[in-house]
Amino acid sequence: MRIGILGGTFDPPHSGHLALAEAALEQLELDEVLFIPTNRNPLKKTRTGMAAKHRIAMVDRLIKGKPQMAYTDMEITRGGASFSVDTISELQMVRQADYWFIMGADALRGLPEWKSPQRLMRMCRLAVAVRPPLIVADVLVKLPEEYKGKVDVIKMSALDISSSELRDRLHTGQSVASWISPEIQQYIETHKLYRNA
């Protein structure tokens, strides 16, 4: 099995997350992409974010009808700060597979600051999304030499939205229809999310 891991706060999940998962499936010939909502991002100390139950419910709606996509609440159940190395280690124990950790080029730059990056790189490969105006060389130049052979590039088109921008739009009542599915929008409205974000 070839499995991609897509972690994040998914606050809220949007079309960019889905496009990344679909590109990873196709370009890396993965069997599955597993979405893993974080409990708490150790690199983001200020923002608390939406309650886990809502983020999980929205991810469930994002991937509905996508047989090669699934999600798990393992990081939320574990509690505390969510470290990728712990998650991959747990997954390897319960489900032997070849794993790719999917991330954006911006996250790759911070890899040396992650918990046990050398151990992480022994357990999985990195699938790094490169979007214009960045090129592959821009991404690899700041990466320690020892990691470069473990990186696979996912070529993506430019992304014109982020979760933080979507939260701002939702808070101010602007349309998010281009980036968030009707099912997720309905969930947000039903539960009155992001109104005071």
Side-chain angles (χ1 to χ4, degrees):
M1 284 284 282
R2 295 164 63 90
I3 301 174
I5 302 299
L6 184 53
T9 52
F10 303 113
D11 191 15
H14 54 72
S15 58
H17 296 128
L18 199 57
L20 177 54
E22 288 170 341
L25 279 167
E26 182 183 337
Q27 294 179 35
L28 301 178
E29 299 178 345
L30 302 178
D31 296 299
E32 181 182 78
V33 170
L34 186 62
F35 286 69
I36 306 184
T38 58
N39 185 56
R40 182 170 57 80
N41 184 331
L43 301 177
K44 293 181 182 175
K45 307 225 185 308
T46 53
R47 221 181 89 65
T48 53
M50 191 55 62
K53 67 177 183 178
H54 293 308
R55 293 185 290 118
I56 289 169
M58 289 187 285
V59 167
D60 180 59
R61 284 157 176 77
L62 179 76
I63 65 173
K64 198 169 188 69
K66 307 278 184 188
Q68 287 184 282
M69 298 183 196
Y71 70 89
T72 174
D73 65 354
M74 63 186 292
E75 289 190 347
I76 289 158
T77 302
R78 191 169 64 224
S82 299
F83 294 106
S84 303
V85 68
D86 297 336
T87 299
I88 293 284
S89 182
E90 269 184 52
L91 284 169
Q92 287 282 25
M93 284 191 285
V94 297
R95 193 175 181 195
Q96 281 293 313
D98 294 323
Y99 286 97
W100 277 258
F101 197 87
I102 304 167
M103 63 175 67
D106 53 339
L108 182 67
R109 292 192 190 106
L111 183 66
E113 300 165 33
W114 290 23
K115 178 183 176 183
S116 307
Q118 294 91 350
R119 186 166 158 244
L120 176 69
M121 299 299 278
R122 285 195 299 272
M123 292 188 287
C124 67
R125 294 185 64 82
L126 300 182
V128 181
V130 178
R131 301 177 187 273
L134 284 180
I135 59 171
V136 177
D138 296 332
V139 174
L140 295 179
V141 70
K142 293 184 181 176
L143 196 65
E145 201 62 41
E146 62 193 292
Y147 300 150
K148 290 181 181 176
K150 298 279 283 185
V151 174
D152 296 307
V153 171
I154 305 169
K155 293 184 179 168
M156 302 279 298
S157 55
L159 180 65
D160 58 351
I161 199 68
S162 68
S163 291
S164 60
E165 290 172 282
L166 287 170
R167 288 192 299 270
D168 290 342
R169 282 177 163 270
L170 287 162
H171 182 60
T172 56
Q174 297 176 65
S175 173
V176 294
S178 299
W179 306 282
I180 292 183
S181 71
E183 294 80 9
I184 294 175
Q185 283 189 70
Q186 182 62 54
Y187 184 88
I188 288 169
E189 287 168 21
T190 300
H191 294 275
K192 301 177 172 56
L193 307 183
Y194 303 111
R195 293 189 177 176
N196 299 312

